[in-house]
Amino acid sequence: MEKEWMEKIGVYQHGEIAPKDIVFYPEIRKLCADNVCRVYGKTWACPPAVGTLDVCREKCCSFQNATVFSGKYSLEDPFDYEGMIAGQQAFKSLCDQVHAAAGQRYSHFLLLANGSCTKCKTSTYPTTPFRMPETLYPAVEGLASMSVRSHHKPVSITVVKKTPFFILDCYYMILHENTPEENSSGVFL
């Protein structure tokens, strides 16, 4: 199985979708512009740095395939904020591993994350170029302003009650060419 490598590094679930099935919502981009998350215009991973919605749609649809993947992290209860933060950090670490492994398999790919870039304590946007462009994962909300219409769950972070415990279930996406190839940069900008 081609995606066995994802399971080996700890991906919980993954599934293939066609980039044409990604629905781009201007309403989600408006939430960015309204600065709901308080990082609009402050990071290279979010709008306006990632381009207009049309530019982002063109970038995403230029790929032949997309893989939605997730991680799963236990929470003590639905208000376990520390557990949510720990799960999100663990998932970002998992995404670094996915990025490294994808770089060995695809000649061209784009990893979309949720939330803004947190690799540096202080962002260089917009005055100085991004320090580590090879590790930039644009925000799935800001870049794609998207939802996925398919048999998979929507791309989001959700807290799902599972008796007798709770789960933080994180979803990301990697857009890629169908045929794995060597020597990819994975650079977005």
Side-chain angles (χ1 to χ4, degrees), residues 13-80:
Q13 294 176 320
H14 56 85
E16 298 293 318
I17 61 168
K20 67 179 176 56
D21 290 336
I22 300 170
V23 180
F24 293 79
Y25 290 103
E27 298 86 359
I28 297 175
R29 181 55 76 91
K30 183 172 179 344
L31 292 173
C32 292
D34 291 344
N35 205 20
V36 170
C37 66
R38 299 178 308 277
V39 293
Y40 182 82
K42 296 179 182 176
T43 173
W44 288 104
C46 295
V50 294
T52 66
L53 191 57
D54 288 336
V55 166
C56 293
R57 180 183 296 114
E58 186 177 320
K59 284 177 188 172
C60 290
C61 291
S62 72
F63 290 89
Q64 295 174 349
N65 211 348
T67 302
V68 178
F69 65 95
S70 70
K72 182 175 84 169
Y73 307 93
S74 296
L75 302 174
E76 290 181 20
D77 58 56
F79 304 104
D80 180 8

Side-chain angles (χ1 to χ4, degrees), residues 69-163:
F69 65 95
S70 70
K72 182 175 84 169
Y73 307 93
S74 296
L75 302 174
E76 290 181 20
D77 58 56
F79 304 104
D80 180 8
Y81 182 73
E82 292 82 14
M84 290 178 200
I85 296 301
Q88 187 176 32
Q89 289 171 343
F91 192 62
K92 288 192 183 254
S93 176
L94 175 65
C95 287
D96 289 340
Q97 294 175 55
V98 168
H99 185 272
Q104 298 299 312
R105 287 165 175 74
Y106 303 115
S107 61
H108 184 58
F109 69 97
L110 172 61
L111 180 68
L112 301 181
N114 56 338
S116 66
C117 180
T118 58
K119 294 192 183 296
C120 303
K121 288 188 182 211
T122 306
S123 176
T124 62
Y125 184 82
T127 58
T128 308
F130 188 64
R131 293 178 189 114
M132 301 172 285
E134 68 283 354
T135 65
L136 178 64
Y137 314 144
V140 72
E141 305 90 346
L143 180 105
S145 300
M146 64 188 252
S147 176
V148 177
R149 285 188 183 162
S150 70
H151 300 294
H152 304 287
K153 288 183 179 180
V155 177
S156 64
I157 294 181
T158 56
V159 177
V160 181
K161 183 175 181 182
K162 301 281 185 184
T163 307

